[in-house]
């Protein structure tokens, strides 16, 4: 019922920046908390950042100070600004949505985008 489409992934050198975008089709976007998760080959999906409908933010320790999640409720968009990228940030990044309270647990999110590849070279 909620469709999410990520964009903005690509190849970047270590120390560089990328901005990921997620376009949502939710009827009342502000009722949904949004999250970014990532998954590297052979590894489990891990939490990156989440934002509540009102704009409250959480992020994983591994990206704190480097990544910033934000949202534009008027445009029904979620963003992940990634700075000071490291090779270990290489993964498929997924946008996810759930009702109400933000969470860092992937299983609590009911809607997922298709993912966008981020590759950070040495």
């Amino acid at each position: 019922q909620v469709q999410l489409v990520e964009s903005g992934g690509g190849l970047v050198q270590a120390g560089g920046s990328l901005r990921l975008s997620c376009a949502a089709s939710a009827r009342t976007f502000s009722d949904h908390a949004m999250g970014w998760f990532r998954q590297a080959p052979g590894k489990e999906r891990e939490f990156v950042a989440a934002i509540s409908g009102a704009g409250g933010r959480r992020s994983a320790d591994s990206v704190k100070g480097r990544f910033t999640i934000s949202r534009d409720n008027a445009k029904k968009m979620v963003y992940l600004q990634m700075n000071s990228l490291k090779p270990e940030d290489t993964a498929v990044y997924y946008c996810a949505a759930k009702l109400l309270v933000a969470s860092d647990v992937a299983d609590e999110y009911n809607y997922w985008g298709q993912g966008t590849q981020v590759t950070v070279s040495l």
Side-chain angles (χ1 to χ4, degrees):
Q1 201 268 339
V2 177
Q3 294 183 347
L4 306 171
V5 180
E6 303 98 330
S7 62
L11 176 65
V12 64
Q13 290 189 0
S17 298
L18 284 174
R19 188 199 195 204
L20 305 184
S21 299
C22 174
S25 67
R27 187 179 70 255
T28 52
F29 179 69
S30 62
D31 289 341
H32 289 80
M34 305 296 298
W36 286 98
F37 294 79
R38 66 188 183 187
Q39 188 166 24
K43 298 183 178 180
E44 65 182 358
R45 190 166 298 184
E46 69 172 339
F47 169 74
V48 176
I51 187 167
S52 72
R57 297 174 175 86
R58 277 198 64 199
S59 62
D61 289 343
S62 60
V63 307
K64 200 176 297 292
R66 300 188 299 121
F67 292 8
T68 302
I69 189 171
S70 62
R71 67 191 294 158
D72 185 332
N73 286 342
K75 294 182 178 180
K76 298 183 178 181
M77 296 287 291
V78 184
Y79 307 99
L80 184 68
Q81 179 66 48
M82 304 185 295
N83 299 326
S84 301
L85 282 160
K86 305 174 181 179
E88 52 263 45
D89 296 319
T90 295
V92 176
Y93 283 71
Y94 297 91
C95 178
K98 66 183 295 293
L99 288 174
L100 304 178
V101 180
S103 172
D104 60 0
V105 180
D107 287 347
E108 295 184 4
Y109 288 80
N110 294 319
Y111 305 99
W112 294 84
Q114 83 289 346
T116 185
Q117 177 71 48
V118 172
T119 302
V120 184
S121 66
L122 293 171

